[in-house]
Every structure is written in C-alpha cells, then in structure tokens.
Amino acid sequence: MFQAQLDLNNLIQSRQSQQLIIDQAKTELLRILTLKTDSVINISDTIIVDKTIVLGDIVNNLAANPDILAANDQVTINGLVEKEVAAQRYPTLRASIGYSYNRNQQSAGQTLLNQSYGPLAGFNFLVPIYNGSIYKRQQKVAEINTKNADMQKNILLRDYTSGSVKTYQAYSSALTQLETAQKNLELSQKLLDLVLQRFQLRQATIVDVTLAQQGFETAAFSLINLSFSAKSSEVELKRLAAKLTF
C-alpha cells in the first residue's frame, strides 16, 4: 500500500512538472504570435506526418528557394554592372533635344522686350583615349565580382542539396521507425493489461506491474519523439523547396 502511494505521488509530481513545461510553451507561442501572453488557448495534441515526400521533388524545387533566387539575382546584377563598366571603354555619342524660351524687358530708353524661343538640339561625341587603364581595372574587378557571386550561388545550392539529402535520410528513418514504435506501443499495452490481470489474480507482484508500466511509458515516449522528428524533417524539407504551407 505504501509503495503504491509513493508511485502515485511520483506520477502526480511528474505530471505537474510536465504541465508546467506545456504552459510555458503556450506562453512562448503567444509571445511569438504577438498575442497576450495570459490568454487561454487549446492546442490540438496530434502530429500528422506527410508520408508522400519524394527526395527528387525536393532537390528539383530548390531553385525556387528564396535564398537561391536572391543569389541568382545577385549574379544577374553583377553581370549588368560588368557590362556597364565595360561600356565606358568605348566611344560615346550623346544627343540632347529641348525647347527654350527667353524674355527680357528694359526701361530708360533701352530695349523693353527681347524674346527668343524655339527648339534646340545638340550632339556630344566622346572618345576615350587614355585614362591610366582605370576602366580596364574596373572591368576586371566587375568580372571577379560576377564570378564570386556565381560561385557563392553554387556553394549555396550545394549546401542546400546536401542539407536536403541529410534531412530526407532522417525523415525516411523516422518513418521506418514509426511503424516499429507503433507496434511496440500496442505490444506494451497488451503486456500491461496482462500483468494487471495477473496482479489481480495474485500471480504477479507490484514490481512486475511497475516494470510493465515503465515499458509502456517508454514505448509511448519513443513513438511521440519519432513522430516529432519525422514532422520536423518534413517541415524542413518543405521549407527548403519553398513548399511550406499552413
């Protein structure tokens, strides 16, 4: 009787500690959502894992990742800057056109009004002869910047591809272990029921019941952890492929 009361008290204490963790997690969630942290919310206690993810689809859609798109845009920008710098080495022809209107008025025997108006046009032809190879050096720097941007894009794509493969491996492993964990939970539940029946018939001791309960708790804990791991990998894969929806 005393041992059973001690076990019950320990379980109640463990539940209270876990409830504290849940309450603090809800408060942190409200803070992230910029809501009142003292609000009361109910969270659906379920983890649904998408088991239809294919690695090839994730890798093929990495080009849609915002970071990859930004890297591509940077390569394009540097290429345009390179062309702009290179254009400074060639002759330049500029044309200007406009319309002018002037009006003057004087007094004391002088001309009181002098008006002139009309269209105007002009051309400016510039031929660079020698500037100390400044434009050439600037063009070389622009070419290096373009190559660096392209290299950084390739490195980023490589890292994202490697991360996708590793995450998918963790995702596949978690899905495989989920089936075994579900079976273990069912078996541990049956074992616990059987031990409780034997205990009622005085064919099992309290130690047998405790061990069966611990086995059931361990199996349930393992199943939840694997489900969370699989869901986390799923979310990361969809984020990398820019397919994350809510």
Side-chain angles (χ1 to χ4, degrees):
M1 180 71 68
F2 292 155
Q3 184 62 48
Q5 188 63 48
L6 288 174
D7 294 339
L8 178 60
N9 291 338
N10 290 333
L11 291 175
I12 292 175
Q13 186 177 6
S14 298
R15 180 182 179 182
Q16 292 173 346
S17 299
Q18 189 63 39
Q19 187 62 46
L20 174 61
I21 296 175
I22 294 174
D23 293 339
Q24 290 178 343
K26 288 182 178 180
T27 302
E28 180 64 17
L29 177 61
L30 290 170
R31 185 191 67 82
I32 295 175
L33 296 175
T34 64
L35 300 176
K36 292 184 177 180
T37 55
D38 57 349
S39 301
V40 179
I41 58 175
N42 293 322
I43 306 298
S44 179
D45 187 13
T46 180
I47 301 177
I48 301 176
V49 182
D50 184 4
K51 301 180 180 180
T52 62
I53 297 179
V54 180
L55 178 60
D57 296 339
I58 299 298
V59 175
N60 293 333
N61 283 282
L62 286 179
N65 187 281
D67 293 337
I68 303 298
L69 292 176
N72 283 328
D73 291 341
Q74 188 61 48
V75 174
T76 303
I77 292 173
N78 287 354
L80 295 176
V81 172
E82 181 181 345
K83 293 181 179 179
E84 183 179 355
V85 173
Q88 297 178 358
R89 302 177 58 187
Y90 301 102
T92 304
L93 177 62
R94 297 179 180 179
S96 60
I97 188 172
Y99 187 89
S100 63
Y101 176 81
N102 297 322
R103 184 177 184 274
N104 296 323
Q105 185 175 3
Q106 301 176 3
S107 61
Q110 303 294 330
T111 303
L112 295 179
L113 184 63
N114 182 14
Q115 293 181 338
S116 63
Y117 61 91
L120 58 89
F123 295 92
N124 185 10
F125 185 71
L126 176 63
V127 180
I129 298 177
Y130 180 75
N131 58 2
S133 301
I134 294 177
Y135 292 155
K136 185 176 181 180
R137 290 195 296 270
Q138 290 178 350
Q139 183 179 0
K140 190 64 176 179
V141 172
E143 292 176 356
I144 294 175
N145 290 336
T146 302
K147 292 180 180 179
N148 287 339
D150 186 66
M151 186 180 300
Q152 291 176 0
K153 183 201 71 174
N154 293 331
I155 292 174
L156 186 64
L157 184 59
R158 181 203 62 187
D159 293 342
Y160 273 33
T161 302
S162 176
S164 299
V165 173
K166 291 181 180 179
T167 305
Y168 186 81
Q169 291 172 344
Y171 167 78
S172 300
S173 177
L175 289 183
T176 303
Q177 296 181 60
L178 271 177
E179 299 178 0
T180 305
Q182 184 63 42
K183 294 179 181 178
N184 288 341
L185 181 62
E186 295 174 357
L187 289 175
S188 62
Q189 178 67 63
K190 294 179 180 178
L191 177 61
L192 178 59
D193 294 339
L194 178 60
V195 172
L196 287 176
Q197 292 177 7
R198 294 187 59 194
F199 182 74
Q200 292 175 354
L201 298 175
R202 297 183 180 181
Q203 295 181 358
T205 63
I206 187 65
V207 176
D208 296 330
V209 175
T210 301
L211 292 176
Q213 289 175 339
Q214 291 176 352
F216 177 74
E217 292 175 2
T218 301
F221 187 72
S222 176
L223 179 62
I224 294 175
N225 278 345
L226 287 172
S227 299
F228 182 79
S229 176
K231 188 63 178 180
S232 299
S233 300
E234 171 202 332
V235 171
E236 178 63 15
L237 288 173
K238 292 182 177 180
R239 184 192 69 84
L240 292 174
K243 288 186 174 182
L244 190 60
T245 57
F246 301 95

